[in-house]
Amino acid sequence: MLKTLMGEVKEYKRDSILSPIFVIMEVIMEIIIPILMASIIDNGVEKSNISHVWTMGALMVAIAMISMFCGVMSGKYAARASSGFAKNLRKAMYENIQTFSFANIDKYSTPGLVTRLTTDVTNVQNAYQMIIRMCARSPFMLIFAMTMTFVVNRKLAMIFLVATIFLAIVLALIIAHTFPVFSMVFKKYDALNASVQENVSAIRVVKAYVREDYEVNKFHTASNNLYKLFVQAEKLLTLNMPVMQFTVYSCILLLSWLGAKMIVAGSLQTGELVSLFAYVMNVLVSLMMMSMAFVMIAMSKASADRIAEVINEKASLVNGENPVYEVPDGSILFDHVNFAYQKDSENKVLNEINCEIKAGETIGIIGGTGSAKTSFVQLIPRLYDVTGGCVKVGGIDVREYDIETLRDQVAMVLQNNVLFSGTINDNMRWGKKDATQEEIIRACRLSQADEFVQTLPDKYETYIEQGGTNVSGGQKQRLCIARALIKKPKILILDDSTSAVDTRTDSLIRQAFATEIPDTTKLIIAQRITSVQDADRIIVMNDGMIDAIGTHEELLTDNMIYRDVYESQVKGAAENE
C-alpha cells in the first residue's frame, strides 16, 4: 500500500523533501532561543551586563526571524506537496477505473468509488501534510529538546524522559483502539453516499410514489450510524488532551519544586531553570503534535488501503502479446461457449452456445426475462470473457484482438441508454470524434432521430441535460442508436433499444438499416415479435441456452416458445383494437 501511494508523489518529491528540511531548520532555531534566554538572565541581568543583554536580544530576534521564515517556507512546500499528491492519487484512480472491464466494475459500488475519489483522498492528503511537517518537526524537536535538557541538567532531564515514555504508552493505546473504529467509518460513508446517489438519481420515481419520508428516514439511519461511530472514536481521542495536560503540569510542578531546591543549593542557575521550562513545553508540545499526527495517520490508514486497492486493481480484460488491429468482417461464431459472471461459479449464465452468424445478416434475438440475451451479446465486443469455448469475430477469437479496435467495429446500444450533458452534436461525436455535420445528420435520419431534432429551437446544438432528462425515452433511444451508427461498425447490436418507440418508428428504423447499411451485421434483441420477424434469422433463448434458430415462419411452426410469445402478442393486440 505504502509503495503504491508513494509512487504517486512524482513531480512533488522536491516539495516533499524541502518541507521537512525547512522544518528541521525551524526546530534548530527554536532550540537555540532558550539557551540565549538563559544566557541573558545568568550573564546579563544577574551580572548587570547590559551590552550582553542587547547582544543576545538582537541575536534572539534574528534567530526568531529565521525560524519564522523557515516555518512559512515549510508550510508553502507542504501545501504544494500534499495538494499535488492528492491530485495525482485522484488521477491515478480515475485513469485506472477507465481501464476496468465490466467484471472489475462489478466488484466496486459507484458510491464506494466516489468516496475513494473524494473523502478518502482528502484524508490521505491531510495525513501526508502532517507527515512531512508534524512528523518531521515533532521527532526532531523531541530529540533536540531532550538532548538540551540533559546538557543543562541530567537529574531534571529524567523528569522529561519518564513523561515521554508515559505519554508514548498512552498514545499507542489510544491509536490501537481508534483505528478499527475509523476503518468501519469509511464503510458507513459508502452506505451514506449510496443512499444519496440512489435518491437523487431516482428522484422522479421517489416523488411519483410519494416515498420522500421513507428516503429521509433511510438517509437519517445511514447518517446516524456514521455519527455513532465518530462519537465512539472521538471519545477515545478526547483522552489525549487531558492526559497531555496532566503530564505537562506535573512536569512543571516537579521542575519548579526540584529546580528551586537546586538553585538554593547552588547546583543550578536561574537561567538554566527558565530554559528547562521552555524545553519542557517543547518536549511535551512535540509529543502532543505527534499524537495528533498519529491519530490523523490512523484515520487515513483505512482510506489509504481503499485508494491503493483501486490503483492496484488490474483490468481482467487486457490485450494479448501480439493483438490483431483489423477486423476482417462482421461474421460471428459462438463455439461451445459457456459463461458465468464469477469464474469459479458453477451457475452458468450461458451453457454450450453454438451459433454462426454471417457478415451482413440481420439476427433477431428473443426470449423471456433472465434468458441471458444481454449476456449473449456482451461477449461479442468482449465486455466479458467467456469461461469456456470461444467467440470469434471475422474468424478471429475476440481475445486476440486489440480491445479498442474490436469495440470500434462492434457498436452496442445498451438497455440503459445514457446521454451525456452537452449538445446533440457533442453526444453524437462520442461515436466518432471528428464526425462531420453531414455524418451526424445521416446517422440521425437512419435512426429516425432527425425528424424530432429538426423541430427543436437549436436543432443539433440543443443542449442535453445530464442523463438526457430533457428528452423523452423514445427520443433518447433514437439518439443513442444514431451515436452507434456514426462509428460505421461492422457489427451493430441493439439490446432492446427500440422498446420506447412506437411500432411505426421501429419499422422505419429496421427498413433504414436494411437499405442503408446492408453489409453491417445487425443483432436486435427485442420483446416485440414485430421488431424481429423480418430478420434473416431469429435466435430463441431460454434459460441460458439457444432453444431454436430459424426464420419467423419456421419458428412459428416448430418452436413452442416463439409461438406462445407470438400468439400472446397477437391476441393482446387484437383485444386492444
Side-chain angles (χ1 to χ4, degrees), residues 385-537:
D385 266 342
V386 298
T387 51
C390 69
V391 177
K392 294 182 178 180
V393 171
I396 301 171
D397 193 322
V398 293
R399 289 169 290 194
E400 296 180 17
Y401 281 110
D402 168 66
I403 293 176
E404 187 174 336
T405 299
L406 176 65
R407 291 178 184 171
D408 268 343
Q409 294 301 321
V410 182
M412 187 170 182
V413 184
L414 301 169
Q415 280 179 306
N416 297 322
N417 300 287
V418 176
L419 291 174
F420 297 90
S421 54
T423 65
I424 292 175
N425 279 333
D426 292 337
N427 273 276
M428 293 301 103
R429 290 191 175 102
W430 271 74
K432 184 181 177 183
K433 294 178 183 178
D434 56 350
T436 64
Q437 195 64 45
E438 290 72 23
E439 288 177 313
I440 292 173
I441 293 172
R442 179 180 180 275
C444 286
R445 283 175 178 167
L446 285 174
S447 69
Q448 306 303 309
D450 181 68
E451 180 182 351
F452 82 83
V453 173
Q454 294 296 344
T455 65
L456 300 173
D458 297 322
K459 296 183 172 56
Y460 285 90
E461 288 301 318
T462 300
Y463 189 82
I464 301 293
E465 300 292 342
Q466 184 179 2
T469 55
N470 59 333
V471 292
S472 70
Q475 291 171 339
K476 188 191 299 184
Q477 284 188 336
R478 283 178 277 173
L479 288 173
C480 288
I481 293 171
R483 182 174 62 192
L485 288 171
I486 284 178
K487 296 175 72 172
K488 297 179 181 178
K490 288 186 169 66
I491 299 172
L492 175 65
I493 300 170
L494 303 181
D495 187 357
D496 204 15
S497 304
T498 57
S499 58
V501 301
D502 57 82
T503 53
R504 175 183 171 277
T505 304
D506 187 11
S507 176
L508 289 172
I509 292 172
R510 286 184 282 109
Q511 289 175 22
F513 286 174
T515 57
E516 297 293 334
I517 51 172
D519 296 330
T520 299
T521 306
K522 298 166 281 292
L523 283 76
I524 303 170
I525 296 177
Q527 299 296 332
R528 293 187 300 218
I529 292 288
T530 54
S531 297
V532 297
Q533 65 182 13
D534 296 327
D536 297 321
R537 287 184 295 161

Side-chain angles (χ1 to χ4, degrees), residues 40-155:
I40 288 174
I41 295 171
D42 294 335
N43 300 320
V45 176
E46 290 189 356
K47 296 180 179 179
S48 301
N49 189 346
I50 301 301
S51 63
H52 184 78
V53 173
W54 281 105
T55 302
M56 291 296 104
L59 188 56
M60 282 180 66
V61 171
I63 289 174
M65 294 297 289
I66 295 171
S67 177
M68 183 179 69
F69 171 77
C70 292
V72 170
M73 295 304 292
S74 171
K76 171 188 170 183
Y77 287 120
R80 280 170 50 175
S82 60
S83 298
F85 179 49
K87 179 197 72 174
N88 287 347
L89 286 177
R90 290 192 184 97
K91 182 182 177 183
M93 278 196 290
Y94 196 77
E95 285 181 347
N96 201 39
I97 289 169
Q98 301 309 305
T99 69
F100 284 0
S101 66
F102 280 23
N104 293 116
I105 293 170
D106 291 343
K107 285 179 63 178
Y108 301 96
S109 67
T110 301
L113 290 174
V114 171
T115 303
R116 285 168 166 86
L117 285 162
T118 52
T119 305
D120 287 335
V121 171
T122 301
N123 287 336
V124 171
Q125 176 184 349
N126 292 335
Y128 187 67
Q129 187 170 22
M130 291 281 258
I131 289 169
I132 59 179
R133 286 204 73 193
M134 299 296 186
C135 290
R137 177 186 176 85
S138 299
F140 279 101
M141 176 65 80
L142 181 64
I143 293 167
F144 290 161
M146 284 290 290
T147 302
M148 293 308 299
T149 58
F150 276 95
V151 169
V152 174
N153 190 288
R154 290 190 177 186
K155 290 183 179 179

